[in-house]
Amino acid sequence: MDRGELALAEWRADPSGAPRSVLATAVRFTLEELAERAPGRSVEVRVPPFGAVQCVEGPRHTRGTPTNVIETDGVTWLRLVVGEASWEDEEQAGRVRASGQRADLTEWLPLL
């Protein structure tokens, strides 16, 4: 198991008690996994302050504000990744903010 997988396992074991460094590593690891599984540059996924990736095949974004942006916090992101939360519920609750036609990751989530 690599560092990212270990961090994700540690977070899953104790989501409310995991140190911030574990959360950060788990988020970065899963963002990288998403980019590998959904290659492309048409959607930007942001999980501040931990990281951001461009993914999903389609029209490439090169400058300025991307047209397809998804933003959420670290805990919500990890809950989506492991299947503990649904995209629709988190978006309706305002914990996921998505703009643009391609800003929907239900095809790729849960990721693990």
Side-chain angles (χ1 to χ4, degrees):
M1 235 186 228
D2 75 6
R3 222 174 109 196
E5 290 171 316
L6 288 171
L8 184 59
E10 186 176 340
W11 176 83
R12 287 187 88 173
D14 186 12
S16 60
R20 181 179 166 89
S21 61
V22 168
L23 177 66
T25 301
V27 167
R28 289 182 190 116
F29 165 70
T30 55
L31 286 172
E32 290 170 8
E33 280 292 310
L34 174 65
E36 285 180 26
R37 293 179 188 204
R41 295 190 164 268
S42 69
V43 176
E44 185 166 293
V45 180
R46 300 173 181 169
V47 185
F50 306 118
V53 293
Q54 290 187 348
C55 57
V56 182
E57 197 172 298
R60 184 178 176 175
H61 167 74
T62 55
R63 295 179 3 152
T65 301
T67 55
N68 299 290
V69 176
I70 296 164
E71 189 168 318
T72 189
D73 63 273
V75 171
T76 300
W77 171 249
L78 292 179
R79 291 184 69 237
L80 289 165
V81 164
V82 300
E84 292 178 4
S86 79
W87 180 265
E88 184 179 324
D89 290 347
E90 297 304 301
E91 191 173 24
Q92 286 180 358
R95 289 182 287 269
V96 170
R97 291 161 304 285
S99 62
Q101 292 179 321
R102 296 176 179 270
D104 183 340
L105 297 179
T106 53
E107 182 177 339
W108 294 278
L109 295 173
L111 186 62
L112 304 170

